[in-house]
Amino acid sequence: MKTTTRLWTRELVRALTVVTCVMSSYTGAATFRLQEASIADVHDAFKMGQLTCRHLVQLYLNRIAAYDKQGPMLNAVQTVNPKALSEADRLDAAYKTSGLVGPLHCIPVLLKDQVETMEMPTTYGSAVFKDFVPATDATIVTRMKRAGAIIIGKATMGEFASRYVGSASGIVRNAYDPSRNASGSSGGTGAGIAANFAILGIGEDTGGSIRGPAAVSSLVGLRPTIPVVSRHGMMPATPGSDTLGPITRTVTDAAILLDVIAGYDANDPVTAQSVGQMPATYTALLNHDGLKGARIGVIREPMDPKANPKSDDYRQVRAVMDKALGDLKTQGAELVDPIVIPRLKDLIKRVHTDNNFETEPAINAYLARHKNSPAKTFRDIITSGQVVPWRIKGLMDGVGKSKSDPAYLQVVLGREELRSSVLKLMADHRLDALVYATFDHNPTLIAPDVLTNPEPKDDYGLGNNRGLSPALSFPAVTVPAGFTSEQLPVGIEFLGRPFSEGTLFKLIYSYEQATRNRKPPARTPPLAGEP
């Protein structure tokens, strides 16, 4: 009984603080404007009688219809929720009776199609699962619905959580330049939130799949410490690195969403480590002065061996990053520049890039829990003849491997060496966080044969610096740093110690409020008649 009381008390504190944050952050605009709308904007429009839930959901459905398979053809949405409008009607009725049902009342969410929903198929980006409808919702889906959210659709994703194409979904395109990739594998979520197809997005990050799409879409993307958010109801890729997290247009909305989805879940025992490690609400840590006195280490060394510091677009990204670092100092941060991590590239490769020991056993265990799964084993997927060639090539590397292999010891030892090195540097320099560019290069052009070639020449992920966080299992968040001269977004990434999401939110909120770098893509403007 005492435990139940404590849980209810924590939820009440969260809800009250979120409502306070929403009220205090409202800009006071006279009329509601859909483009770039936040949770606060929507809830205030409800209170002022300017908006109903049905109207809001219809407005987003209109944008998806206009821009996803037409116009720039972003292909960000795999499945539109056929019950979205009826859910909106239910929430409108509840609002008339008792007001907001929770902190996400009628907030449309675009959910990566790696996460189970019982009212829509969950395809994992693959034609193998195009008709697969799970019997239950994932834990985070249950929590979001309980808070009042509407899952407006399932976002397209790279097949089985890699890259930006899949046999179920085709090619996901960048909202700022549809000839370029949207990063992966949560590219649909990133492109959709950038284009204002929903207010909130959920991505999954094994090696960078939240932060990559967020960075190339001028968004906030948080990879939490693994025990913070339950993975129950999500197909695994590498369980030692897998985590779910927010992709949003604002830091405040990311904090509100994390409040809702974070916390212990008996169905994902690793979340037990989070008990006592999280604040009552992350929104309480959003502080305009959060950078004052903060000590931040700057990593300048490219983590991708293929990065080319002499190239034009590398210099473009570096110019944006230099301005971002100057902005951090202007807001009162003390920079330790540069920070050098010994053997950085080698350790990331050993711990993250070369770790394919976990995938087959994890997927086999996951599929065994679903009696109606069209594939019963990892090898059924590989031999289905439906997966795109480049993904088959990657999956084949994991066949027959497990954590029992002697070679897996090198992953474990490398991770410990990297963790010790980073924690020592942070302690020696009294650092609150490390920062670096999420990518050192612009997103590259989509190869014409990307759906048919096992080795497409698209330079995908060039300049990728996302591997440090999963290699360490430390939290990291990317926020908009600005745009290159080609008008492509650049993300600056903040990495902290385990369970330091609150510190990261304090830093990035201060940076966001001082810079206001986020800009919506020109190719998806407001529709005629859109408020």
Side-chain angles (χ1 to χ4, degrees):
M1 184 59 122
K2 289 181 179 178
T3 300
T4 302
T5 302
R6 283 197 297 270
L7 288 172
W8 274 107
T9 300
R10 187 176 185 225
E11 290 300 315
L12 180 60
V13 169
R14 280 185 170 187
L16 289 173
T17 309
V18 166
V19 170
T20 301
C21 177
V22 167
M23 291 292 291
S24 65
S25 63
Y26 175 60
T27 60
T31 56
F32 174 73
R33 184 172 184 266
L34 184 71
Q35 192 176 50
E36 302 293 280
S38 67
I39 296 171
D41 296 327
V42 168
H43 288 176
D44 198 82
F46 288 158
K47 292 165 192 169
M48 296 178 70
Q50 298 176 349
L51 191 66
T52 64
C53 186
R54 171 175 267 269
H55 187 203
L56 178 72
V57 171
Q58 187 62 63
L59 288 169
Y60 282 114
L61 292 175
N62 293 346
R63 290 187 63 80
I64 293 169
Y67 294 129
D68 199 51
K69 302 300 187 285
Q70 301 182 59
M73 300 180 67
L74 299 182
N75 194 28
V77 182
Q78 176 71 35
T79 307
V80 172
N81 185 354
K83 297 182 179 179
L85 289 173
S86 61
E87 279 295 298
D89 290 339
R90 181 184 65 80
L91 287 166
D92 276 334
Y95 186 78
K96 288 179 182 178
T97 302
S98 55
L100 301 177
V101 304
L104 299 185
H105 180 96
C106 191
I107 299 302
V109 177
L110 195 54
L111 179 71
K112 186 177 183 180
D113 206 17
Q114 191 176 351
V115 182
E116 294 172 17
T117 48
M118 57 185 177
E119 74 272 10
M120 287 177 280
T122 300
T123 73
Y124 318 110
S126 179
V128 178
F129 288 85
K130 63 183 176 62
D131 299 318
F132 172 58
V133 180
T136 58
D137 284 332
T139 295
I140 67 162
V141 174
T142 300
R143 289 177 176 177
M144 288 189 292
K145 287 181 176 179
R146 190 171 61 204
I150 293 177
I151 309 301
I152 197 168
K154 304 294 287 292
T156 48
M157 60 177 285
E159 192 157 11
F160 298 115
S162 183
R163 292 173 62 99
Y164 61 96
V165 299
S167 58
S169 50
I171 300 167
V172 189
R173 298 184 180 276
N174 190 298
Y176 292 84
D177 180 353
S179 69
R180 297 175 185 267
N181 71 74
S183 189
S185 60
S186 308
T189 307
I193 298 303
N196 285 269
F197 290 171
I199 294 177
L200 303 177
I202 291 288
E204 184 276 330
D205 195 309
T206 297
S209 296
I210 290 173
R211 294 159 292 135
V216 304
S217 299
S218 193
L219 298 170
V220 178
L222 171 68
R223 174 193 166 87
T225 312
I226 287 174
V228 168
V229 177
S230 172
R231 288 91 46 89
H232 178 68
M234 179 205 87
M235 178 179 274
T238 305
S241 301
D242 297 342
T243 185
L244 293 161
I247 297 178
T248 63
R249 291 186 291 271
T250 72
V251 173
T252 299
D253 283 357
I256 294 172
L257 179 54
L258 187 61
D259 272 351
V260 170
I261 63 175
Y264 172 64
D265 175 22
N267 291 309
D268 186 0
V270 73
T271 58
Q273 297 177 43
S274 71
V275 175
Q277 300 280 4
M278 298 183 296
T281 170
Y282 291 101
T283 58
L285 301 167
L286 305 182
N287 183 346
H288 282 82
D289 295 327
L291 282 166
K292 284 187 177 178
R295 289 180 58 81
I296 298 174
V298 180
I299 300 176
R300 291 187 176 269
E301 177 188 355
M303 301 180 209
D304 179 4
K306 294 181 292 184
N308 179 9
K310 295 181 180 179
S311 67
D312 179 61
D313 73 321
Y314 184 98
R315 289 193 290 267
Q316 289 182 40
V317 171
R318 182 48 51 195
V320 175
M321 282 298 298
D322 286 343
K323 182 182 182 304
L325 296 175
D327 290 334
L328 293 177
K329 289 195 286 188
T330 298
Q331 295 306 306
E334 300 175 36
L335 301 187
V336 180
D337 185 5
I339 286 288
V340 177
I341 300 172
R343 301 202 310 124
L344 179 59
K345 289 189 187 74
D346 290 343
L347 288 172
I348 289 176
K349 183 178 185 299
R350 190 209 302 185
V351 176
H352 169 60
T353 310
D354 293 346
N355 180 14
N356 50 20
F357 298 94
E358 302 177 40
T359 305
E360 182 172 15
I363 289 180
N364 283 343
Y366 174 82
L367 295 175
R369 294 196 293 270
H370 295 279
K371 293 181 180 180
N372 64 331
S373 172
K376 303 304 179 185
T377 68
F378 178 73
R379 298 186 192 203
D380 287 347
I381 292 170
I382 291 175
T383 59
S384 68
Q386 298 184 73
V387 181
V388 293
W390 65 262
R391 192 62 184 117
I392 284 290
K393 183 174 180 291
L395 292 172
M396 284 295 295
D397 291 338
V399 172
K401 294 184 179 179
S402 75
K403 292 195 294 184
S404 298
D405 291 358
Y408 184 68
L409 177 62
Q410 294 305 312
V411 175
V412 176
L413 293 175
R415 180 176 289 121
E416 289 309 306
E417 180 181 342
L418 187 59
R419 283 176 177 170
S420 296
S421 180
V422 169
L423 288 173
K424 183 178 187 304
L425 281 168
M426 294 185 76
D428 287 346
H429 295 283
R430 296 177 288 112
L431 300 178
D432 297 292
L434 299 171
V435 297
Y436 44 90
T438 303
F439 291 105
D440 286 324
H441 288 272
N442 289 328
T444 54
L445 295 171
I446 295 167
D449 61 351
V450 71
L451 285 168
T452 57
N453 189 342
E455 296 183 356
K457 302 296 189 291
D458 58 1
D459 282 330
Y460 172 73
L462 184 64
N464 178 23
N465 295 324
R466 297 172 294 165
L468 180 59
S469 172
L472 291 164
S473 296
F474 290 3
V477 57
T478 188
V479 290
F483 291 78
T484 66
S485 58
E486 296 182 51
Q487 293 307 299
L488 295 169
V490 174
I492 180 172
E493 191 160 318
F494 293 70
L495 179 144
R497 296 175 177 84
F499 301 106
S500 66
E501 286 81 1
T503 297
L504 295 178
F505 272 124
K506 182 175 72 171
L507 300 176
I508 65 174
Y509 180 76
S510 178
Y511 175 74
E512 173 200 54
Q513 295 299 299
T515 59
R516 304 286 184 173
N517 287 322
R518 158 83 189 156
K519 289 192 300 185
R523 288 173 172 81
T524 55
L527 298 172
E530 182 179 295

